[in-house]
Amino acid sequence: MKRMLKNGALILLVLVFQASLSAKKPQKSNVTKNKVDLIIRGGTVITMNQDREIIHDGSIAITNGRIIAVGHVEDRYQASQTIDAKNKVILPGLINGHGHAPMVFFRGLADGLALHDWLHDYIFPTEKQNVTADFVYWGTKLACLEMLQSGVTAFAAEYYFANSVAQAVSELGMRVVVGQPVMDFATPDSATSEEGFLLVEALVKKWQGNDFVYPAISPHAPYTASVATLQKANEVSKQHIIPFMIHLSESPAEKGKGAAYLDSLGILSDRIIAAHVVHPTSEDIGLLQKYGVGVVHCPVSNMKLSSGISPVTRMLEEGVAVGLGTDGAASNNALDMMAEMKTAALLQKVLGKPTNLSAMQVLELATIGGARAIHKEKDLGSIEVGKRADLIMVTMDSIHQIPVYNVVSQLVYASKASDIQTVVVNGKVLMKNRIFASDIDEGMVRKKAGEFKKKIKASIRSAAQKSNLK
């Protein structure tokens, strides 16, 4: 009897031991996880969706270049590639709504000048002597690398040889709304406006429907395009359903040539992207809102050229779609969207109210507001299911960011371009830990920039131009 009890106790002990081992073994889940291309996990996700939702310790699932889940997704998805975003903020890619990308090769060419002196006495003559398709291609590549390092995933560019801009951007895997200029005088790529229109047709034929390049027409400004050219540009824009890009009310010298002027010509529409809009009248602002015109604010360029302060706060209050842009590096002299955000916020406060343009409003200008301004809000500007997977990761560990109380305020007022760690466009990692993807040849871009600098310096003849290169 004692032996039976002893054996029974022993068996019980064995069973308990086996049960404990079983409990420690991970149980197989019956849930099958869906496979995706990329998961970004563990960061603070600032969605910029309609509710401006912020998700802490959030993650994003991406496949085929689009966002398919946002929140806490790892219990439902597994990825072939995962990026850890711990201690980082995940944002929609920034949108630089206005610029002239290849003009990085003219960075610092002419400082201390008003807009029209700078443009007609320095920029137009220097462009005539130097701008070629090759110049545009390599200048765009340099501009793209600079913008990637400041968190830009999509931008708008108006420049000659627009096809070369498109080619450079598509090779790098960024996005661009690219406008082919059409002017009433000879330009580096066309002798007449009619030749300019032919270039627009060629641009549309090659790129319309592309996921990365969105062709547009750019008659530059009311002071460089006649009524006939502006109206024909509008017809081409309407025919092909492409954006119509124009500089508008940039300086006091353009009085009477704002939105009301375009309306009198019958060309205001929701296809227009209007850059600067520094001096709109009350009537202009009402028309911009009525027609759904996108406006792009370029604070640093406007300040540098002494063009004035755009009434951004008022335009937002009136319901105008406003985005943010750097303009070209020749009048900025950088393509740093992080710096542009801070400047935009501070500049509106100079007008008298510290409540003008909050940090969240500024972030909107650079993301979802920027997407609206370039008429791409259905695909870009926020982290939402179905949208393009264009995202950036910003470290919050830098000395100049510590401590963090309000993450949006920190991004606008304290963060710098150097805090951008990772950039993803269409689900592809173009920069990780500030190192460009292996298929981006930074060395060649640097080499070409040096070669073009020598050519530009050699082309400058006048004493006034030379004095600006010292």
Side-chain angles (χ1 to χ4, degrees):
M1 185 72 176
K2 287 182 180 180
R3 179 176 291 180
M4 289 177 62
L5 288 172
K6 188 175 181 180
N7 288 341
L10 185 59
I11 291 168
L12 183 60
L13 283 172
V14 170
L15 290 173
V16 170
F17 180 67
Q18 288 178 336
S20 70
L21 285 178
S22 246
K24 290 179 181 178
K25 287 181 181 177
Q27 300 298 306
K28 290 184 178 180
S29 171
N30 293 324
V31 177
T32 301
K33 293 185 178 182
N34 295 311
K35 292 183 178 179
V36 295
D37 298 331
L38 173 66
I39 289 177
I40 301 175
R41 66 182 184 191
T44 298
V45 183
I46 301 182
T47 64
M48 301 309 293
N49 63 15
Q50 186 173 356
D51 298 326
R52 302 298 182 259
E53 184 181 7
I54 297 177
I55 305 169
H56 298 283
D57 193 22
S59 49
I60 302 163
I62 297 163
T63 204
N64 295 326
R66 290 192 182 271
I67 297 166
I68 64 166
V70 182
H72 301 92
V73 307
E74 290 176 273
D75 57 340
R76 293 173 287 149
Y77 298 94
Q78 60 181 6
S80 53
Q81 182 183 11
T82 301
I83 298 177
D84 187 358
K86 185 179 180 181
N87 296 328
K88 295 180 177 64
V89 171
I90 308 169
L91 286 171
L94 305 184
I95 296 172
N96 186 347
H98 174 70
H100 313 280
M103 293 183 79
V104 286
F105 284 158
F106 296 145
R107 193 194 315 267
L109 177 66
D111 296 324
L113 297 166
L115 171 63
H116 290 270
D117 294 336
W118 170 81
L119 193 60
H120 292 281
D121 295 343
Y122 292 86
I123 298 304
F124 283 163
T126 308
E127 285 179 328
K128 183 178 179 180
Q129 297 175 73
N130 291 282
V131 175
T132 62
D134 199 42
F135 172 103
V136 169
Y137 175 84
W138 288 107
T140 301
K141 287 263 178 132
L142 178 61
C144 285
L145 297 193
E146 181 179 356
M147 285 189 279
L148 279 174
Q149 287 192 330
S150 79
V152 173
T153 56
F155 64 100
E158 305 173 41
Y159 212 64
Y160 316 110
F161 299 101
N163 187 61
S164 293
V165 174
Q167 189 64 42
V169 175
S170 67
E171 288 174 3
L172 287 170
M174 293 177 71
R175 299 190 202 279
V176 65
V177 179
V178 56
Q180 171 62 49
V182 178
M183 300 187 198
D184 288 322
F185 53 85
T187 66
D189 63 355
S190 58
T192 65
S193 62
E194 287 306 312
E195 287 186 17
F197 283 114
L198 291 176
L199 291 174
V200 173
E201 295 291 338
L203 184 73
V204 171
K205 183 177 180 181
K206 181 170 183 178
W207 296 103
Q208 192 161 46
N210 189 279
D211 285 341
F212 299 91
V213 175
Y214 313 118
I217 188 168
S218 174
H220 185 258
Y223 56 83
T224 54
S226 66
V227 169
T229 297
L230 289 170
Q231 289 177 328
K232 184 173 180 179
N234 180 56
E235 289 304 311
V236 172
S237 168
K238 186 188 299 183
Q239 176 191 348
H240 294 297
I241 318 175
I242 58 174
F244 177 115
M245 305 168 76
I246 191 166
H247 296 72
L248 198 64
S249 302
E250 185 175 358
S251 75
E254 297 161 49
K255 186 176 180 181
K257 292 293 181 75
Y261 172 70
L262 295 186
D263 187 41
S264 72
L265 303 181
I267 61 178
L268 274 190
S269 77
D270 59 5
R271 297 183 308 279
I272 291 184
I273 304 172
H276 301 289
V277 192
V278 181
H279 301 280
T281 64
S282 295
E283 181 186 8
D284 288 335
I285 292 174
L287 289 167
L288 293 169
Q289 187 279 329
K290 175 183 175 181
Y291 286 97
V293 173
V295 170
V296 183
H297 176 44
C298 303
V300 173
S301 176
N302 293 342
M303 292 167 67
K304 187 166 188 280
L305 295 172
S306 203
S307 296
I309 302 176
S310 175
V312 171
T313 301
R314 182 179 173 193
M315 284 193 283
L316 290 173
E317 289 172 349
E318 295 290 329
V320 178
V322 183
L324 192 65
T326 60
D327 206 355
S331 63
N332 185 303
N333 294 23
L335 306 177
D336 183 347
M337 280 291 286
M338 299 298 286
E340 210 74 32
M341 282 197 291
K342 182 174 181 177
T343 303
L346 298 178
L347 189 57
Q348 290 302 299
K349 291 166 178 32
V350 170
L351 294 175
K353 290 183 180 180
T355 55
N356 283 357
L357 213 58
S358 68
M360 178 57 82
Q361 285 179 305
V362 173
L363 193 57
E364 288 170 0
L365 296 185
T367 55
I368 188 62
R372 290 194 187 104
I374 65 170
H375 311 302
K376 295 295 177 185
E377 69 272 22
K378 291 181 180 178
D379 265 342
L380 310 178
S382 60
I383 300 176
E384 298 183 76
V385 172
K387 286 202 172 184
R388 296 287 183 181
D390 295 3
L391 312 164
I392 62 175
M393 290 164 49
V394 187
T395 183
M396 302 305 286
D397 283 341
S398 300
I399 290 294
H400 57 263
Q401 294 173 308
I402 299 171
V404 179
Y405 297 108
N406 181 311
V407 68
V408 174
S409 174
Q410 204 81 338
L411 285 167
V412 171
Y413 290 111
S415 298
K416 304 178 185 299
S418 58
D419 298 316
I420 309 294
Q421 295 294 298
T422 298
V423 178
V424 176
V425 181
N426 212 54
K428 180 182 177 182
V429 180
L430 299 188
M431 185 178 80
K432 186 175 182 181
N433 297 325
R434 296 199 65 75
I435 298 173
F436 293 122
S438 59
D439 57 349
I440 295 177
D441 193 345
E442 180 184 352
M444 180 57 74
V445 175
R446 287 177 176 271
K447 179 176 179 291
K448 289 292 183 179
E451 292 173 3
F452 279 107
K453 176 189 173 182
K454 290 179 182 178
K455 292 178 182 179
I456 291 165
K457 287 190 74 172
S459 73
I460 303 239
R461 293 288 178 264
S462 75
Q465 286 175 313
K466 284 183 178 178
S467 69
N468 277 280
L469 291 175
K470 291 181 180 178

